[in-house]
Amino acid sequence: MRALPLKTLAVTLAAGLALAACATATPYQPAGLNGQRGGYAEQRLENNRFRVSFSGNSVTSRDQVEMSLLLRSAELTVENGFDWFATVNRATDRDTRFVSTPDPFYSRYNSFYGPYWGPSWRYYRSGFWSPWDRWGANDFDVRQVDRYEANAEIIMGRGPKPANDPNAFDAREVVQNLSTRVTRPGA
């Protein structure tokens, strides 16, 4: 049995670590914390008006992203001495990408031709042996990867929330109901 070259081992290890880092949902934390791409961010527009966003990774569900956005909006409202907030504009964007990875069961390398074992489907074409199938398709698996980002512009107020506004939320009640339902860093 042949040992893997050091370069191959290093690439495999790096790919495994990158995959492990993406295997958990984006925690509820500020964006960019500990090199994390996702998380929440806010920008003050006026004394009682903010733009708030939450961005998740490929394993963070749309519901988790929207819940985190509402929680951050509520926390921000309480931190600034207000009682309720209302969403003026709110949207959730989905970024869809298609990722192809080599199919491990149909590797073009086998134990005779390369370091990876697997069946190798080859045929003779135009004077040489080809690792491609006869229709020109590669042996790849393609999967869809979705990432969600929710953003809202909120306005904050004091006293009881407006009774007839379905976009108005009691900030303390939202914090109480949602704070245990989000994934915190290190949890």
Side-chain angles (χ1 to χ4, degrees):
M1 177 178 274
R2 285 188 340 192
L4 291 175
L6 187 56
K7 184 176 181 181
T8 303
L9 185 59
V11 168
T12 304
L13 181 60
L17 290 174
L19 184 60
C22 294
T24 59
T26 301
Y28 181 77
Q29 65 184 11
L33 187 67
N34 297 325
Q36 184 85 7
R37 184 176 134 184
Y40 61 78
E42 68 269 339
Q43 177 183 11
R44 182 186 293 270
L45 303 174
E46 294 177 346
N47 185 40
N48 66 337
R49 195 179 199 101
F50 282 82
R51 180 174 295 126
V52 185
S53 67
F54 189 89
S55 179
N57 61 16
S58 62
V59 294
T60 309
S61 71
R62 179 183 182 135
D63 288 341
Q64 188 72 32
V65 168
E66 291 176 345
M67 189 178 356
S68 297
L69 173 77
L70 285 174
L71 178 58
R72 183 60 192 152
S73 298
E75 287 178 344
L76 203 55
T77 300
V78 173
E79 288 170 12
N80 284 277
F82 292 95
D83 300 313
W84 59 269
F85 69 95
T87 57
V88 179
N89 295 318
R90 186 171 156 191
T92 302
D93 299 322
R94 180 174 77 180
D95 177 27
T96 300
R97 295 186 181 174
F98 294 93
V99 178
S100 63
T101 55
D103 187 338
F105 295 107
Y106 296 102
S107 173
R108 65 186 231 183
Y109 300 102
N110 62 26
S111 58
F112 181 76
Y113 292 106
Y116 307 104
W117 183 87
S120 178
W121 306 107
R122 299 165 56 92
Y123 71 98
Y124 191 75
R125 175 177 68 182
S126 305
F128 64 95
W129 284 96
S130 172
W132 313 99
D133 68 21
R134 53 181 145 183
W135 296 279
N138 294 328
D139 294 325
F140 287 97
D141 286 333
V142 178
R143 65 184 176 93
Q144 180 176 331
V145 176
D146 293 324
R147 291 189 175 156
Y148 295 98
E149 180 176 348
N151 55 65
E153 189 174 312
I154 63 169
I155 190 163
M156 303 170 182
R158 290 187 176 91
K161 73 174 183 170
N164 296 328
D165 187 355
N167 295 318
F169 299 88
D170 180 300
R172 286 171 185 77
E173 198 172 320
V174 170
V175 169
Q176 180 182 354
N177 291 331
L178 297 184
S179 62
T180 60
R181 297 185 61 203
V182 297
T183 304
R184 304 281 178 170

